[in-house]
Amino acid sequence: MENTSKVAAERHFAVSHTGIVLALAALTAGCGGGASTSSTSAGAGTGTVTILEQPQESSITGNVVVPLADNSKAPVGIFKLVLWQPDIFTANGELVPTAWNASSQTGFAPSNPMSDQLGFQNTPGTSTAQMDGDTVGAYINSKDAPSSPVDPGGMNGGCGHVTNPPVQKMMITPQYIWSSGTEPVPFASSTTVLNGSLDLQVPTASGVAYVVADLLFEDPIGVRVSYGIKLFANGVTNPLVGCGYDAPSNSYTIDSPLGFDERFVSNAANSASDTGVPWLGWQHFEWSISQSQFTAALQYLAPQFSGKIQDVDATQYVLAEVHLNAEINFLPGPAELGWSMSGLKIWLVN
């Protein structure tokens, strides 16, 4: 991650790896229209540039990483499924092939389960990751994770929280991290809008379970802002904007329910909205974030964490990472979550 000052300068690049197409046209701040490297023309002075597109994969082999099993870091510059809890049933902490009908929990039936699924055990009902074509899925159950908290909680929760209780978290997340120096600068131009979309189904949920499309931004001195678009929160009937501090990722979080509050994120006309009810069958979610909305989010967060978020200039933030935060929280109660996602795409429109 770059820690030197980033100015709103023009950048152009294109990188391709296993079906991920990356392109960036960060326009010179203050310039009308501006130059761009457009993947799709959007008329004179405008353009559409795809900066992340979910790849096609023939199997799950080599596409799941467990950083805590081999003391590695999350992969950079490649789309992977990341599991942050080592498998407690294997000596090396890695997942094993499993052919049980995980589609009963995720809604997604891969073409060959033995090559497209990896789970905690080779047994029905085990926590399992899936990948086939441009679709990924996961079923996670708290019975497969240890009982000690991974988030110790503590003081200074922000956003009205005096303390954060200790919790155990579990997720298998599709994730992409940009390598240092190649991160998009989405709001370098006041006219650029950051867009995202995906198709999702969440047929299984119990306990504290939720799905958030998470965009991780970083300022020039390394302050991290996790910008969440809420898509599902089990049992929630009145979704609200939330914020806090996430100790494991050292990031300040703001989460907006899609379709309910447009101060920080806008819902596309063809998009489903945040819900608290599980469902089977693909639904399309699509959103946009303008420079003014991103600035408003920074201004909302800054007073919640006095002295921590000092830079509220949207042009200074890079987009460092994208992942689907499909997670369960438990301690003391059990929880489970089954979901599948297809066609994740992130793009800029000027």
Side-chain angles (χ1 to χ4, degrees), residues 218-245:
E218 188 165 337
D219 79 357
I221 62 172
V223 175
R224 294 154 65 90
V225 174
S226 177
Y227 208 101
I229 297 95
K230 292 182 180 180
L231 308 178
F232 170 77
N234 189 45
V236 174
T237 57
N238 183 32
L240 302 171
V241 170
C243 66
Y245 174 72

Side-chain angles (χ1 to χ4, degrees), residues 279-331:
W279 75 94
L280 177 64
W282 295 112
Q283 291 192 24
H284 182 72
F285 293 85
E286 186 170 330
W287 63 89
S288 64
I289 304 167
S290 67
Q291 187 195 77
S292 61
Q293 286 173 312
F294 187 77
T295 299
L298 294 175
Q299 293 172 341
Y300 179 86
L301 276 178
Q304 305 289 343
F305 304 94
S306 180
K308 302 298 184 181
I309 301 173
Q310 300 183 19
D311 196 339
V312 294
D313 180 358
T315 69
Q316 298 299 300
Y317 282 79
V318 300
L319 177 58
E321 176 186 326
V322 173
H323 76 275
L324 191 73
N325 189 27
E327 188 172 55
I328 54 176
N329 285 7
F330 51 99
L331 283 184

Side-chain angles (χ1 to χ4, degrees), residues 270-284:
N270 63 337
S271 175
S273 298
D274 183 28
T275 182
V277 181
W279 75 94
L280 177 64
W282 295 112
Q283 291 192 24
H284 182 72

Side-chain angles (χ1 to χ4, degrees), residues 1 6 11 13 22-24 50-52 176-188 194-196 213-219 224-227 229 287 289 294 314-323 345-348:
M1 212 68 63
K6 289 185 174 69
R11 290 190 188 181
F13 68 87
L22 300 168
L24 172 65
T50 299
I51 58 175
L52 176 62
Y176 186 88
I177 300 175
W178 276 268
S179 58
S180 178
T182 69
E183 305 99 326
V185 189
F187 306 111
L194 179 63
N195 299 265
D214 195 284
L215 313 177
L216 182 65
F217 295 88
E218 188 165 337
D219 79 357
R224 294 154 65 90
V225 174
S226 177
Y227 208 101
I229 297 95
W287 63 89
I289 304 167
F294 187 77
T315 69
Q316 298 299 300
Y317 282 79
V318 300
L319 177 58
E321 176 186 326
V322 173
H323 76 275
K345 183 179 179 180
I346 308 293
W347 70 97
L348 299 175

Side-chain angles (χ1 to χ4, degrees), residues 38-349:
S38 300
S39 58
T40 304
S41 174
T46 65
T48 299
V49 178
T50 299
I51 58 175
L52 176 62
E53 189 164 1
Q54 187 174 341
Q56 292 270 350
E57 297 290 355
S58 59
S59 78
I60 201 170
T61 303
N63 287 314
V64 176
V65 295
V66 191
L68 298 182
D70 57 9
N71 296 314
S72 65
K73 294 182 178 180
V76 173
I78 189 169
F79 185 90
K80 294 282 188 179
L81 287 168
V82 181
L83 169 65
W84 287 107
Q85 289 82 12
D87 188 341
I88 62 174
F89 302 104
T90 61
N92 62 5
E94 301 286 347
L95 300 180
V96 299
T98 180
W100 75 288
N101 181 25
S103 67
S104 63
Q105 304 294 334
T106 68
F108 168 51
S111 57
N112 185 351
M114 277 304 290
S115 67
D116 300 333
Q117 294 185 173
L118 292 171
F120 274 56
Q121 302 179 81
N122 186 17
T123 184
T126 191
S127 295
T128 296
Q130 302 173 301
M131 179 179 284
D132 184 22
D134 73 343
T135 304
V136 295
Y139 170 68
I140 50 177
N141 193 313
S142 57
K143 67 181 179 61
D144 291 326
S147 58
S148 58
V150 296
D151 186 340
M155 302 295 289
N156 302 318
C159 303
H161 303 296
V162 177
T163 61
N164 288 324
V167 295
Q168 172 67 301
K169 298 179 180 180
M170 185 181 186
M171 70 174 175
I172 300 173
T173 179
Q175 177 173 292
Y176 186 88
I177 300 175
W178 276 268
S179 58
S180 178
T182 69
E183 305 99 326
V185 189
F187 306 111
S189 168
S190 62
T191 59
T192 303
V193 177
L194 179 63
N195 299 265
S197 68
L198 55 84
D199 294 331
L200 181 72
Q201 53 186 333
V202 185
T204 304
S206 66
V208 180
Y210 47 88
V211 179
V212 178
D214 195 284
L215 313 177
L216 182 65
F217 295 88
E218 188 165 337
D219 79 357
I221 62 172
V223 175
R224 294 154 65 90
V225 174
S226 177
Y227 208 101
I229 297 95
K230 292 182 180 180
L231 308 178
F232 170 77
N234 189 45
V236 174
T237 57
N238 183 32
L240 302 171
V241 170
C243 66
Y245 174 72
D246 182 65
S249 64
N250 187 29
S251 62
Y252 300 94
T253 65
I254 183 164
D255 297 308
S256 295
L258 188 62
F260 288 86
D261 189 321
E262 296 207 343
R263 286 176 294 170
F264 311 126
V265 61
S266 297
N267 198 19
N270 63 337
S271 175
S273 298
D274 183 28
T275 182
V277 181
W279 75 94
L280 177 64
W282 295 112
Q283 291 192 24
H284 182 72
F285 293 85
E286 186 170 330
W287 63 89
S288 64
I289 304 167
S290 67
Q291 187 195 77
S292 61
Q293 286 173 312
F294 187 77
T295 299
L298 294 175
Q299 293 172 341
Y300 179 86
L301 276 178
Q304 305 289 343
F305 304 94
S306 180
K308 302 298 184 181
I309 301 173
Q310 300 183 19
D311 196 339
V312 294
D313 180 358
T315 69
Q316 298 299 300
Y317 282 79
V318 300
L319 177 58
E321 176 186 326
V322 173
H323 76 275
L324 191 73
N325 189 27
E327 188 172 55
I328 54 176
N329 285 7
F330 51 99
L331 283 184
E336 64 177 338
L337 177 67
W339 60 271
S340 50
M341 179 190 79
S342 179
L344 170 65
K345 183 179 179 180
I346 308 293
W347 70 97
L348 299 175
V349 176

